[in-house]
Amino acid sequence: MSDKKRAPLDIKNLQTDTLGVRAGVRRTEFNEHSEAMFLTSSFCFDSAADAAHGFANAEKGFIYSRFTNPTVAMFQDRLAAMEGGQACIATSSGMSAIMTVAMSHLQAGDHVVCSRSVFGATIQLFTAILGKFGIETTYVDMSDLGSWKAAVKPNTKLFYLETPSNPLTEVADIAGIAKIAKAANALYVVDNCFCTPALQKPIELGADVVIHSATKYLDGQGRVLGGAVVGTEEFILGKVFPYVRTSGPTLSAFNAWVILKGLETLNLRVEKQSQSALELAQWLEKQPTVERVYHPGLKSHPQYELAKAQQKMGGPILSFTLKGGKEAAWKVIDGTKLLSITANLGDTRTTITHPATTTHVRVTPEARAAAGITDSLVRIAVGLENIEDIKNDLLAGLKG
Ligand SMILES: *Cc1c(COP(=O)(O)O)cnc(C)c1O
C-alpha cells in the first residue's frame, strides 16, 4: 500500500452538474463512496481541553447537531458551490431560511423592499410576523425598476424577490435591481426556488444572498422539507451561523442526506422538466379553450429576452388561463387522472393547481386581481412523465 495521499479535489472551474455530484464530499476513515448519514445529536472529544477548543471554534468542527453536522455540512458545501456562493447554512424549511435571513440581518425600525409577487407565506412573514417587531415592508412591482428605486427609504436594509414568480412566471431583472440595492446599501436576497442553480445564478448577477426552499427542486422528489441560505462567508458565518446556533431552525441530518442526493440529479431533472414545460406551453397556446399561457420560454412572454439572458432555460413551471373562467379551470383539473392535484411543486410528478382557491386563497381578492391571479388560472409544475402522456391527460378537460 502506498502512503501517498491522493490530492484533494479542486472544485474551482467545475461546472454546476459536476459540482452537483462531487462538491462537498467528506469521507470518514472507511472511505465510503456514497455520503454517510450522521444521525447523531452530539460529537465526542478526546479530552476536556479538546472540548474547550471545539467550543471556541464552533463553526469549524462538529459539536452538536443544532449547529454543526457532517451530513448537513456536505449539503451546505455542495449547494454553496453550485450557487457560486462562499458559504451556506441549511434550515428546516424554505420559510425558516427566509426567517433566518431576516432575523440575522434586521432589527426593529428597519425597512424591507419586497416584490409583490413572492410566495404567499413570505408576504405573511414580512407583514404579519416581522411587522409585530417594528419591521416595515413595502411591496413593489418586481418587473419595474423604478418602483424598487422609489420604495427605498433611509432605513431600508433588505431587498427581497423571487424570479420567475409564482404562478405567472414574471421575470425580475436580477442585475438591474442589484444596482439599486447596492446604492441603497441594502442586503439583496433572491429566492432561487423556481430556477435553481441548474438554470440561474443570482449571486453571479449581483445578489448578496440566495435562499432556497429545498423542499422543491433540490430534493426534487417530494419527500422532505428543507431550506438553505447561501452568501458570503462574512454574512453566513458572521450573522447567520450565530442566529441558527442560538435559535435552532436546523435541518435534520436525515433530510440533509435526502436533499444532498437530490442535488446529484438536479441539473438533469430541471433541464428535462424545463424542456417539457416549454413544449407543453407551446402546445397549450394552440388549444382553442385556452386564453393565455405564461412561461418565460415563450416568445409571447413579455420578458422573453430578459429571461433568455439571465436563465439557461425557461424553467419547469407554467400557468395558463381559460376562456371559460373558474368553471373551465376546475374542469381541466378535474379532467386529469395522471397529474397530481396538489399545491406542491418541484416533484418528479407533474402537479396541477388552481392558485386562486388554494395557494393564493389567503391573498385578498383585490390583491389577487392586481397580481393577475384570476379564477381561470391554472398552474402546472411539469414533472418527468412523458410529455405526450401529460398532454393527453390535460386534453380531457380542455375540450370545449
Ligand atoms: C415553497 C416555497 C417557499 C417555502 O418553502 P417551504 O420549504 O415550504 O417552507 C418559499 N419560496 C418559494 C418560492 C416556494 O415555492
Side-chain angles (χ1 to χ4, degrees):
M1 219 170 112
S2 112
D3 42 335
K4 233 172 125 188
K5 274 257 180 213
R6 200 170 176 210
L9 175 67
D10 179 7
I11 62 165
K12 270 196 234 87
N13 304 322
L14 295 178
Q15 303 295 317
T16 313
D17 39 6
T18 309
L19 294 169
V21 293
R22 292 289 180 184
V25 173
R26 289 162 194 252
R27 293 211 170 101
T28 70
E29 64 195 289
F30 303 117
N31 270 325
E32 67 281 357
H33 194 196
S34 174
E35 298 81 349
M37 197 195 308
F38 288 90
L39 294 184
T40 177
S41 39
S42 74
F43 299 83
C44 296
F45 298 98
D46 284 332
S47 66
D50 206 28
H53 180 263
F55 271 79
N57 299 280
E59 70 284 0
K60 297 205 183 83
F62 297 105
I63 297 175
Y64 187 65
S65 287
R66 188 187 332 107
F67 45 100
T68 45
N69 174 285
T71 311
V72 177
M74 286 191 269
F75 164 60
Q76 292 173 162
D77 291 350
R78 183 167 296 176
L79 183 63
M82 294 173 84
E83 285 287 1
Q86 293 172 351
C88 169
I89 296 257
T91 58
S92 57
S93 69
M95 289 321 300
S96 67
I98 303 169
M99 187 65 172
T100 292
V101 170
M103 295 300 275
S104 304
H105 184 67
L106 299 172
Q107 60 183 43
D110 285 348
H111 174 246
V112 175
V113 184
C114 181
S115 155
R116 195 173 284 133
S117 310
V118 291
F119 191 64
T122 305
I123 293 185
Q124 296 288 326
L125 190 149
F126 280 123
T127 302
I129 313 259
L130 297 175
K132 285 201 298 189
F133 300 96
I135 292 162
E136 189 207 357
T137 301
T138 304
Y139 296 95
V140 298
D141 177 352
M142 67 187 269
S143 56
D144 174 13
L145 291 183
S147 76
W148 289 91
K149 210 178 249 171
V152 171
K153 298 183 183 192
N155 58 339
T156 300
K157 291 281 156 58
L158 190 87
F159 268 38
Y160 190 94
L161 65 83
E162 200 178 296
T163 181
S165 73
N166 177 17
L168 292 178
T169 72
E170 284 171 276
V171 178
D173 177 355
I174 299 177
I177 296 165
K179 289 198 192 104
I180 303 168
K182 210 175 180 79
N185 210 11
L187 187 78
Y188 181 25
V189 183
V190 174
D191 180 338
N192 201 23
C193 176
F194 275 28
C195 271
T196 82
L199 303 185
Q200 173 173 281
K201 305 277 188 89
I203 290 173
E204 284 175 8
L205 295 166
D208 298 311
V209 173
V210 162
I211 76 106
H212 271 285
S213 168
T215 316
K216 311 293 168 53
Y217 291 97
L218 306 192
D219 168 19
Q221 293 161 76
R223 299 168 294 192
V224 298
L225 271 92
V229 184
V230 181
T232 60
E233 223 163 73
E234 185 189 358
F235 179 68
I236 297 295
L237 296 183
K239 286 188 164 182
V240 176
F241 179 77
Y243 170 77
V244 169
R245 178 183 187 175
T246 306
S247 65
T250 312
L251 184 66
S252 76
F254 179 83
N255 287 8
W257 185 84
V258 171
I259 303 164
L260 178 71
K261 300 311 271 180
L263 288 181
E264 295 181 3
T265 53
L266 180 72
N267 277 56
L268 263 184
R269 284 184 282 106
V270 173
E271 286 177 16
K272 169 71 179 169
Q273 289 167 339
S274 293
Q275 185 195 329
S276 294
L278 177 59
E279 203 176 321
L280 188 64
Q282 287 164 339
W283 177 81
L284 283 165
E285 276 192 324
K286 294 193 206 110
Q287 303 306 309
T289 52
V290 170
E291 185 183 54
R292 187 164 168 199
V293 186
Y294 301 87
H295 183 265
L298 288 175
K299 293 223 171 70
S300 59
H301 191 285
Q303 295 144 302
Y304 172 74
E305 291 300 333
L306 172 62
K308 218 167 85 175
Q310 75 184 18
Q311 302 174 202
K312 193 168 157 194
M313 298 171 83
I317 292 164
L318 64 97
S319 59
F320 58 101
T321 55
L322 291 132
K323 288 172 184 161
K326 177 179 157 185
E327 204 185 322
W330 280 28
K331 190 174 154 218
V332 171
I333 294 169
D334 291 338
T336 60
K337 294 197 183 80
L338 177 73
L339 307 197
S340 306
I341 305 173
T342 172
N344 198 22
L345 57 91
D347 204 301
T348 50
R349 289 156 290 206
T350 300
T351 64
I352 187 163
T353 314
H354 186 242
T357 53
T358 60
T359 52
H360 289 68
V361 75
R362 287 197 287 175
V363 181
T364 62
E366 298 76 43
R368 261 204 313 273
I373 299 161
T374 64
D375 283 353
S376 75
L377 186 76
V378 173
R379 183 194 76 193
I380 293 181
V382 179
L384 292 177
E385 302 94 339
N386 187 286
I387 184 71
E388 297 307 323
D389 290 331
I390 299 173
K391 287 181 194 167
N392 283 336
D393 199 43
L394 287 166
L395 211 47
L398 278 174
K399 286 191 194 126

